[in-house]
Every structure is written in C-alpha cells, then in structure tokens.
Amino acid sequence: MDKPLLELSNVSFTYPGAEHPVLLEVSFTLQQGDFVAVIGSNGSGKSTLCKCFNGLIPHYYTGDFEGELKLLGESAEGKRVSELSRHIGYVYQDFENQLVRPTVLDDVCFTPLNYGLADYRERGLRALELTGLSGLGREFIWQLSGGQKHLLALAGALAMDPDILVIDEPVAQLDPQHARQIYDILRRLNEQHGKTIVVIEHHAEFIAEYCRSVVLMDGGRLRWQKPVREALTSVEELLALGIYPPDVTRAALLLRPDRQAAGEYPLSCEEGRAWFGRRADAVSAADSDSAANGRTLAAASAAASPGTGSYAAMEAAVSRAAAEPIVRMEQIRLSYRTIHKTLQPVLGGINLELYAGERVALIGNNGAGKSSLMKLIAGITAPTGGTVQVKGITVNGLPPERLSGMVSYVFQNPEDMFIDDSVRGEIAYYLKARKLADMDERVEELLQSFRLLELAERDARLLSGGQQRRVSLAIGAAVRPAVMLLDEPTANLDISTKQEMTRVLEALRGHVETVVIATHDMALVAEWATRIIVMSEGRIIADGDKETVFSDGQLLRRAGLAETQLMEMSRLLNLPQICSSLEEFTAMAEWRKGELIYGGSC
Amino acid sequence: MVEAVKRALNKISVEHIKLELLGTAYNSSSTFLGRLDPRMLLIWYLFFAITPWFIYNRTILLGMFVFMVVTTILSKVSPYIVFILCLGLVSQIGWMFLLSLFFGGGAESLLPMLTLTLKLSVISLASITVFSSLDPERLSDGLSALGVPDAFAFSLSYGYRILPTLLEEFHQILLSFRLRGQRPEKHGFLYLRTAAYYLRILVLVFYPLMLNTAKRSRTTVEALETRGYTYAVNNPKVKKLRLSYLAMQRRDWLFVAFTVVYIGLLFPLGAAVPNLLY
C-alpha cells in the first residue's frame, strides 16, 4: 500500500490560447493498490488530471506544461503516450468511441497486439473472463448492449495487464444493476488482482461503497486528498461546490449539524440503520389529513411536495374515469429482425392507457423495452401486432410528419435532434415548417422558460450536457404535443444538473398534456412522477402510483432497479411512508446514535 | 402501381438496409470461399478482373462466366446484390441497343454487345464473389499482407466497424427532420413534390451527421493513441504477428489448382470451338 505508483509534482497545464490554466500546481501521489475517486464540479480539471497520467497531456494535447510526472519511480519525461499507456489503461466516458474493431475478441486483443505481445489472444481471453464477457468473443460490437460495451472497453484496457486503470464516469450511462456490476468488477480487480484504480465519479453512493480515498478538484487545483469517510462527511464543503454526498449523509447533516467536524456521519444505509431511528410521532403525510393528531403534522405535510400523496392519485383516478385516454395501446407486440435473420421479440401483449395531466415514469433496466414502447407511441416504429391510438387516431405505420403535432419524442442523445445551426433555429424549425403566425412569440417564450435566451444564437452541439438537454426539451415543447416522450433525460448528467432537470421538467407544464419519461433514475421518479409503470423483459409488471410501486422492494429488484437510499432507509426504519425527499425523511426520522434508544422500530 | 411502389418503399427501411449491408459484409466466414486465404483470393480476383478485357474468344468468356456463376452461388451472395447487378447489365445493354437502333442498326447489333456484357459479367461476378467472401477484416489483412499501407488497411476495417453507428445516427437525424418537418400536403404531379421533400432532407441529414462524427472521432483518435496504435504502425514486428494467422492450406491449393486446370483447358477448347453458342 505504501509504494507510490505515480507521482505528479507541481503540475500546471494551460491549453494553447486559453487564459486560465486547467491545472494549477497539482501535486498528487497514487499509492499502489489504492481505489481513488476524483470528484469536482464541471470544468474543475478532473479529466485533465487523469489525462496527465498517460501523457496525453502534454504529448497529445500540447500546451504550457510545467511540473513533473513519475511513473513507477521513473521520470516520464521524453516518454511517449504509447509507452506510458502500457502501464495505464484508460476507459473513456464515451467508451463506444474507443471500440475500434468489429468483433469483441478482435477489440479486446487490439491493444496487446499493437504492442506486439505474442500471447495477445490469451490476454484478450483472460480480460474477457475478468469482465464476465467470456463467450461473447465472436459477437459484433454493435450487437452488444450499452453495459456490455462498457465492460468491453474495460476489458480492452485490462488486456495489457496495466498497473493503473483510469475510468472516466463508469456508470453514467448504465442502469443501477449494471452500474453495480461494473463496480463489483472494479473492486475485484482492486482487491484480488492488485490493480490501482482511479475513477472520475459523480455518484457519492458508489464512492462511499467502493472507493478508498477521494481527490477533490476545484478550479484546476487539487484541494485535498482524503480517506473516503473523511471526504464525504465534509458535507457542507462539498455541497458548496455542487457535489452531492450520499443522501443518508446529507440527512445526517440536517438532523445533527454539530457532528460534521467529527466526521461521524453514516455513508450507507447499513450505517444509517444503526444511526437513525423512526421519530416516535412520525405520521405519513397521507394519513395526516384524515387524523389530526401530533405536532409534526405541519412539518410533514409541508415537506411533502405537491402532487405526491394519495389525494393526487385519487384525483387522477377521478379524471381518468371521466376523460378519454390520450394514448391507448391494445395487445401490442413488437419484434425486430436481427442480422441472423431471426426475429427478436421486444414487446409482448402490452395494454396501456395514458391520460391527460399524468406524469408517467416508465422504469425498467436497459433492454426492458422502454424505448421501444415510446417509439410505438411516437409512430417511429410500427407494431408487429395490435393497435396504438393517440387522441383517437390510429398511428400504426403513419408517417411521423402526420403525427408530429400530437406527439414529440426527445431522444436520449440530444445531438441526434440538432439539425439547425443555432438554438433558436432548432426550436423554430417545426414552427417554420408549418409557417405558424405566432412563431416568433412562441420561440421567445420557449427560450425564456427553458432559460436559453443567452444561448439562443449558439450552436447546440457545442453546449454542455445540461444545456443540450434543455434545448432538446424546448425543441420537443415547441410542437405543443399532447404527449411528450423523453428517453433517459438525466443520463450522462452530473448530479447537480440532474437536480436541475426536475425544475426544467416543470417548465413543460402548459406546453404539454401528458409527459412520459423512460428512465432508471429513481430519484427523478420519486420526485417527479405521478404514475409509475414498471417494465421487465418486454412486459408491464406493475403500474400504479409511487406508494404502491415503491413499497414493494422486491418489485424494483425484479425489474433490475435499485431503490434510492432514502427509499431504502424509509423501509429499514419502518417509516409510515416511503420518503422521496430529504425534507420528508428528516421530518420522520431522527438521530439516535449514542443517545437513548426508543423502543419500537427496527 | 402507386400502391405497389409504396409497399416496396415501406420495406426498404434504414434498418433493413443496415442489416442487408452488414449481412453481406460479415456473414461470409460460413461459406467455402469465405474460409480461403485472403491473399490468394485477392490475386485470384486480379486475374479475373483483368484478363477478360483481353479475351475476345466467346467460348473462353462463356467458360469463365459459368465458373463465376458457380463461385457466386458458392459465396451465397444476397439476392439484392445480384438483382442490382442484373439491373445494371440489362439497362446497360438496353441503352446501347436503343442507340444502335437510332443509328440504323438492327437486331444483329445485339450479338457484339453480348460479348461486352459477358466480359462485364465475369468481372462483376468475380468482384461480388471475392468481396462478399472476404469480410472487411480479412480483406484488410489480405491487402496489408500484399503490401498496401497499414493505415489504409486499418481505415478500411474501421470504416466497416463504424458503419452501423453512422447508419444508426443517420436514421435518428432523418427522424428528427421528419418529426419536426412538414411533408407537402399534396403529393403533386407524379409524386414529385413528395419526392423532392424526401430528397432534400436526405441531403440535409449529412450536415449534422458530419459534425457529430467529427466530434466523436476526437475520442477515437485519442483512444487509438492510448491503445498503442501508433506504436504498432511504426513496428514491422507487430504486422508480422498480426498477419501470422494467414496461411495457405490444402483447400487453398486445391482451389488454385482447380482454377488453373479449368482455365488451362478452356483456352484449347476456345481455340478448337470458337463459336460454341453463337
């Protein structure tokens, strides 16, 4: 543990033409066997730091470089990227673009083959085994799922048997189950195979569970490097930088702000279970209206965000009975043709009705059929069997142009939606094509409500992830559709941008009647949705409001999803309802560690 | 008529083209020709792509044509490709025949044209046979082994690797245009308006596609660096290792021997019976 594997001393780097350095006097030591998380807000220099390790900076990106890099005790000066890369495996955030060969085995052997290692095939096979991809060697890259591609990128790096693995945002594009799978593999590599691992990570819950130490970057400087507990319990400092520690840790700060300095906060639900307890007088927000008892009522019901609680659900049920459904799907089946000319069933026997005013979350793991279902509603694909109706019109196989006034579909990758050269042009495209009279006002209004006024003349492709997302939503809203379908709107966003998304979604009100979101981001679901549809293997396995879906812990696991920490804590502590926000939770739970223990729960 | 065209157009989806293309490119290792040594196949191809131009003996050409038909069947080419080839040949002949009629020719002008068609068919079928039997990987390795620069050989195989991704993205962007665009209300004379609308967006799709690809390739180029690609390019030993799996086996020699014997017999036959069919 004490041998320094890699040392940066006083490294500064400025991109050519840039005024400010991206790295400023960074000194950093990577110990053999460590598992480090690099955190920091956007643009704080996380990726730049990691690109120094294998010499991409300063050899590939030239600029003003000062300081020294030592790898395995030797100075890296004069060594090329390809030489340093023998010891450092790098997995990119957009890992798909680092897969350059057509088949899995070819790709995993690519690096050792390039270095002229005669046993490249054995190395490749072993790397596939380590990542659980054995048996997929002959598959083509484009037939793999997102999770498998990521594992393959990792395997490609592992094939060189490097000392250090750098992984940029390992779980950004994965559903919770695959995210955990990737981290379990990383942990095994770290513990059993002695690999030193560096991840750039936004998800504090994974950091808490898997990493050993944390490096905080801030404005190009390395602010500190601390063991994981010490790092994540500095809640206020992290929050100030827009980094969100685990929910239980934040709840602890709200309940006992005085304990922060001592670092005595729980990091996981396991710990939280021992440290928190159910408040003796905790009453569910839903029960609170019927029975007027207790002092925390006010707090609890104020905390419950509007639209939660079973009243909203009841209202929805009433309006449902009266109104015609916006979307009606009957006995939908869908299969795809594969390259081997066989039929791959994707959806089987789906019956579904969606109503005006609903905020529907479509959840399930990758490959459960969420996107396919939404594409059917948008008329992008025609069902193999059954009918889809939107506002009474049958859409099977209707050309998308005819449907576009009723449905808008926001792709998972915003770049696929950018067809004009400015944000304004993107939003106006639909309105222009229809020569609508109030075009200019509508564009202004949308720019305003999605906070895009300042970006209006810029090319959407060059914006940040969160900004691109806002543009794509505004594009969808410009259509003023009856149904808006969003595919993974929070994928690839950092946590603070994610938090913002809920507010952006609010901006859709008034433009859209029904919103459907396909996602595996449970925090978003908990905060936003009024109706949750759970899908698994091409079928709907549950459909209901938050209480019904979230109170069944088994259900989420069966669908390959993970509860948020607050949900899990609510269940572990036997709280009267499943909490979806910190306020709700802190109104019902209390600090217990080291204090008198009340009887009852647990 | 219009309905039939519509139905046919519905069948030709981007998804369909993608499957067909990739099927043709990669589904070849299951055929007899697909297992042959790529270097040998390339040289074999060179012979059949060049010699027909210099042969005017119709019997020999016919013999070659028969051989090519057999290899084409052996390589299990997608019917689409054969259809396109036939369409090309027939339209070619058709035009020339019309022209010759215009200049006072008659049905007898068809015969010399048939000879030309025979040559073209031999060459086209040879191309189809070889290129559908060699998946991009083996083609790239074969070329590399025959001395073509590595960068070219690699881009060839990478081009195929990225093709599905590009098609996918093309499809998405096309959809964006369609979802937000407005098809002409009326189809217009002979569907001209609708056709113009589609042709226009088909062209427009390429701009965003290129910009997105440029953005994406940044990571790819950087990743190639970290994956030792430049090291390999500057190192002849690596090339040797990469190509070490290429070896002439019994079936390769048999195939060469058969070709040589067949062609060898064809020439005397051609000399003896120059007008076997016509």
Side-chain angles (χ1 to χ4, degrees):
Chain A
M1 271 298 282
D2 44 12
K3 200 174 91 196
L5 202 56
L6 181 130
E7 270 181 285
L8 292 179
S9 28
N10 279 318
V11 168
S12 301
F13 181 72
T14 315
Y15 282 109
E19 282 183 22
H20 301 287
V22 263
L23 287 183
L24 198 59
E25 290 166 11
V26 172
S27 296
F28 167 70
T29 322
L30 188 60
Q31 301 290 346
Q32 169 91 47
D34 206 350
F35 196 144
V36 186
V38 181
I39 59 174
S41 46
N42 284 335
S44 59
K46 299 180 302 257
S47 297
T48 316
L49 174 73
C50 292
K51 283 178 183 171
C52 284
F53 296 171
N54 55 7
L56 279 173
I57 289 172
H59 297 297
Y60 185 78
Y61 294 102
T62 44
D64 282 343
F65 183 86
E66 278 167 46
E68 201 193 11
L69 168 71
K70 268 189 186 170
L71 183 65
L72 301 166
E74 280 177 50
S75 171
E77 211 177 319
K79 288 195 179 160
R80 285 193 308 202
V81 180
S82 48
E83 280 172 76
L84 296 171
S85 293
R86 274 174 178 250
H87 305 284
I88 301 172
Y90 203 104
V91 180
Y92 286 84
Q93 191 182 354
D94 49 342
F95 50 85
E96 274 207 64
N97 301 325
Q98 81 182 86
L99 308 175
V100 293
R101 305 288 290 162
T103 67
V104 170
L105 189 62
D106 272 345
D107 195 81
V108 78
C109 295
F110 183 67
T111 319
L113 182 56
N114 278 336
Y115 284 108
L117 304 173
D119 59 343
Y120 65 91
R121 195 163 266 270
E122 290 74 46
R123 282 169 175 266
L125 288 171
R126 205 189 50 225
L128 287 183
E129 204 181 302
L130 282 175
T131 48
L133 291 177
S134 311
L136 292 178
R138 294 180 59 82
E139 293 285 321
F140 291 111
I141 303 281
W142 53 86
Q143 289 173 310
L144 301 182
S145 69
Q148 288 171 331
K149 282 181 194 166
H150 196 260
L151 287 173
L152 178 59
L154 180 64
L158 273 175
M160 280 303 288
D161 201 15
D163 301 297
I164 304 171
L165 272 173
V166 181
I167 299 131
D168 195 345
E169 305 235 10
V171 300
Q173 299 194 29
L174 305 179
D175 65 60
Q177 222 172 39
H178 287 104
R180 199 151 280 282
Q181 188 190 357
I182 261 260
Y183 264 105
D184 284 334
I185 288 172
L186 291 180
R187 171 185 277 167
R188 209 171 56 226
L189 289 170
N190 176 249
E191 289 176 356
Q192 294 173 15
H193 301 269
K195 303 272 175 253
T196 307
I197 295 176
V198 179
V199 291
I200 298 175
E201 184 55 88
H202 288 295
H203 298 79
E205 287 158 32
F206 284 111
I207 299 179
E209 193 175 340
Y210 293 95
C211 299
R212 295 175 204 255
S213 66
V214 178
V215 167
L216 175 64
M217 295 295 293
D218 176 27
R221 286 177 186 277
L222 193 150
R223 194 185 276 202
W224 43 248
Q225 181 175 12
K226 290 179 182 173
V228 72
R229 176 169 298 277
E230 208 182 309
L232 290 181
T233 47
S234 322
V235 183
E236 280 172 324
E237 185 183 4
L238 294 178
L239 283 176
L241 292 172
I243 302 161
Y244 290 80
D247 282 343
V248 280
T249 322
R250 282 164 66 204
L253 174 79
L254 290 177
L255 289 169
R256 287 301 293 268
D258 53 315
R259 294 289 177 99
Q260 188 178 197
E264 280 183 29
Y265 282 157
L267 295 181
S268 67
C269 290
E270 275 304 296
E271 290 176 8
R273 188 179 188 176
W275 295 21
F276 293 131
R278 176 183 169 161
R279 225 172 243 239
D281 49 7
V283 181
S284 146
D287 300 338
S288 62
D289 295 306
S290 50
N293 59 342
R295 291 145 289 143
T296 54
L297 279 191
S301 54
S305 49
T308 51
S310 50
Y311 267 109
M314 262 162 66
E315 260 173 55
V318 169
S319 68
R320 236 186 246 188
E324 269 293 295
I326 300 256
V327 175
R328 187 200 296 269
M329 304 181 98
E330 276 168 13
Q331 285 302 326
I332 288 297
R333 279 180 298 110
L334 180 68
S335 1
Y336 283 128
R337 261 182 47 170
T338 65
I339 190 170
H340 303 298
K341 313 225 162 163
T342 52
L343 281 179
Q344 172 82 27
V346 186
L347 296 173
I350 301 267
N351 290 304
L352 184 65
E353 287 180 346
L354 303 177
Y355 295 86
E358 284 184 320
R359 298 193 279 186
V360 185
L362 205 54
I363 60 177
N365 63 356
N366 293 341
K370 296 174 303 218
S371 301
S372 304
L373 187 72
M374 296 211 302
K375 281 182 181 157
L376 285 172
I377 299 176
I380 293 172
T381 37
T384 321
T387 51
V388 186
Q389 288 185 326
V390 178
K391 285 207 149 178
I393 298 171
T394 307
V395 302
N396 308 17
L398 215 62
E401 287 92 343
R402 294 282 173 265
L403 254 179
S404 55
M406 291 184 283
V407 183
S408 72
Y409 187 96
V410 176
F411 294 128
Q412 178 171 0
N413 177 8
E415 288 187 357
D416 290 341
M417 296 182 73
F418 297 155
I419 54 180
D420 209 293
D421 55 8
S422 69
V423 170
R424 187 185 296 276
E426 300 289 355
I427 298 175
Y429 191 93
Y430 172 86
L431 306 168
K432 230 189 236 166
R434 277 158 188 75
K435 303 193 179 69
L436 296 182
D438 60 341
M439 186 177 99
D440 292 331
E441 293 102 86
R442 267 167 84 171
V443 172
E444 279 315 307
E445 190 192 321
L446 284 162
L447 286 171
Q448 182 95 40
S449 48
F450 289 92
R451 294 184 292 115
L452 294 167
L453 277 173
E454 276 140 50
L455 308 170
E457 308 308 326
R458 300 212 10 216
D459 190 320
R461 277 168 277 261
L462 301 175
L463 302 179
S464 75
Q467 293 167 335
Q468 285 193 342
R469 209 41 91 165
R470 291 212 301 270
V471 178
S472 69
L473 287 187
I475 293 172
V479 176
R480 276 200 198 149
V483 192
M484 182 146 164
L485 308 157
L486 306 173
D487 200 349
E488 300 282 357
T490 55
N492 291 332
L493 297 184
D494 62 45
I495 310 276
S496 53
T497 321
K498 261 187 197 172
Q499 305 252 338
E500 187 196 298
M501 270 305 293
T502 335
R503 264 176 287 138
V504 177
L505 287 171
E506 286 301 317
L508 285 175
R509 274 193 184 181
H511 298 288
V512 182
E513 287 178 59
T514 308
V515 181
V516 183
I517 289 186
T519 186
H520 31 66
D521 180 353
M522 285 301 122
L524 174 73
V525 175
E527 220 170 312
W528 173 85
T530 58
R531 177 176 174 194
I532 301 173
I533 298 170
V534 189
M535 292 190 72
S536 172
E537 290 169 4
R539 291 177 184 280
I540 294 176
I541 57 171
D543 180 356
D545 61 3
K546 253 182 272 190
E547 280 71 24
T548 24
V549 172
F550 287 161
S551 53
D552 187 352
Q554 285 297 321
L555 182 67
L556 289 183
R557 232 161 294 149
R558 209 150 35 102
L561 297 162
E563 296 173 291
T564 62
Q565 277 194 329
L566 289 181
M567 291 179 199
E568 197 178 341
M569 282 310 300
S570 313
R571 229 169 15 87
L572 289 173
L573 298 179
N574 262 326
L575 296 187
Q577 77 173 58
I578 302 290
C579 302
S580 52
S581 72
L582 276 175
E583 288 78 15
E584 267 176 57
F585 181 75
T586 47
M588 290 184 205
E590 65 180 353
W591 185 263
R592 221 167 50 164
K593 186 170 192 237
E595 288 168 19
L596 189 73
I597 293 174
Y598 303 99
S601 61
C602 248
Chain B
M1 168 63 193
V2 172
E3 278 308 302
V5 171
K6 248 189 196 164
R7 245 179 293 135
L9 277 177
N10 275 342
K11 273 192 180 166
I12 309 175
S13 63
V14 175
E15 199 57 29
H16 202 95
I17 295 174
K18 187 174 116 187
L19 283 178
E20 202 59 50
L21 215 79
L22 294 176
T24 312
Y26 287 105
N27 252 356
S28 49
S29 50
S30 53
T31 62
F32 167 71
L33 289 168
R35 282 189 291 263
L36 295 177
D37 188 287
R39 293 166 299 177
M40 189 273 294
L41 270 183
L42 284 171
I43 293 169
W44 183 88
Y45 167 64
L46 273 183
F47 176 80
F48 284 100
I50 294 170
T51 47
W53 293 114
F54 304 104
I55 295 172
Y56 295 90
N57 184 312
R58 290 192 287 272
T59 307
I60 300 179
L61 284 176
L62 204 65
M64 284 181 160
F65 177 73
V66 171
F67 187 34
M68 288 307 121
V69 168
V70 173
T71 56
T72 309
I73 293 169
L74 276 179
S75 58
K76 293 187 187 149
V77 178
S78 144
Y80 279 79
I81 305 240
V82 177
F83 173 74
I84 289 172
L85 172 79
C86 293
L87 201 73
L89 287 174
V90 168
S91 59
Q92 172 99 358
I93 277 272
W95 275 117
M96 289 208 209
F97 184 55
L98 278 181
L99 271 181
S100 77
L101 282 184
F102 183 76
F103 288 109
E108 72 276 9
S109 60
L110 264 178
L111 277 183
M113 273 192 280
L114 214 55
T115 314
L116 178 65
T117 309
L118 215 50
K119 290 184 180 192
L120 287 178
S121 311
V122 170
I123 296 165
S124 317
L125 288 177
S127 322
I128 292 180
T129 303
V130 166
F131 290 106
S132 70
S133 296
L134 281 176
D135 65 38
E137 286 317 290
R138 291 157 54 78
L139 175 61
S140 145
D141 284 346
L143 286 174
S144 176
L146 292 177
V148 172
D150 273 349
F152 178 80
F154 178 77
S155 1
L156 191 91
S157 95
Y158 180 70
Y160 266 97
R161 142 80 185 97
I162 204 72
L163 200 64
T165 317
L166 286 182
L167 275 170
E168 190 88 2
E169 190 153 356
F170 180 86
H171 193 187
Q172 295 281 346
I173 297 174
L174 183 69
L175 262 178
S176 289
F177 272 103
R178 293 190 65 189
L179 284 170
R180 276 144 73 193
Q182 174 74 301
R183 211 161 74 159
E185 291 293 328
K186 294 196 186 85
H187 289 303
F189 178 64
L190 283 180
Y191 277 73
L192 276 181
R193 275 192 184 195
T194 312
Y197 165 76
Y198 279 119
L199 287 177
R200 185 169 167 271
I201 56 175
L202 274 179
V203 173
L204 286 177
V205 167
F206 281 95
Y207 295 93
L209 186 68
M210 275 191 273
L211 292 172
N212 289 352
T213 309
K215 220 179 137 188
R216 203 193 353 252
S217 56
R218 282 203 307 214
T219 305
T220 307
V221 176
E222 209 181 297
L224 278 178
E225 200 68 24
T226 64
R227 302 190 66 184
Y229 175 70
T230 29
Y231 183 87
V233 167
N234 300 322
N235 208 328
K237 212 184 88 194
V238 175
K239 180 173 169 178
K240 220 170 157 189
L241 179 67
R242 183 159 49 88
L243 301 175
S244 61
Y245 79 96
L246 295 177
M248 289 291 281
Q249 285 169 347
R250 226 185 91 180
R251 56 168 172 256
D252 297 310
W253 291 119
L254 279 176
F255 186 70
V256 171
F258 179 78
T259 308
V260 170
V261 170
Y262 184 84
I263 297 295
L265 290 177
L266 214 52
F267 276 88
L269 180 73
V273 202
N275 305 315
L276 188 63
L277 269 193
Y278 59 91

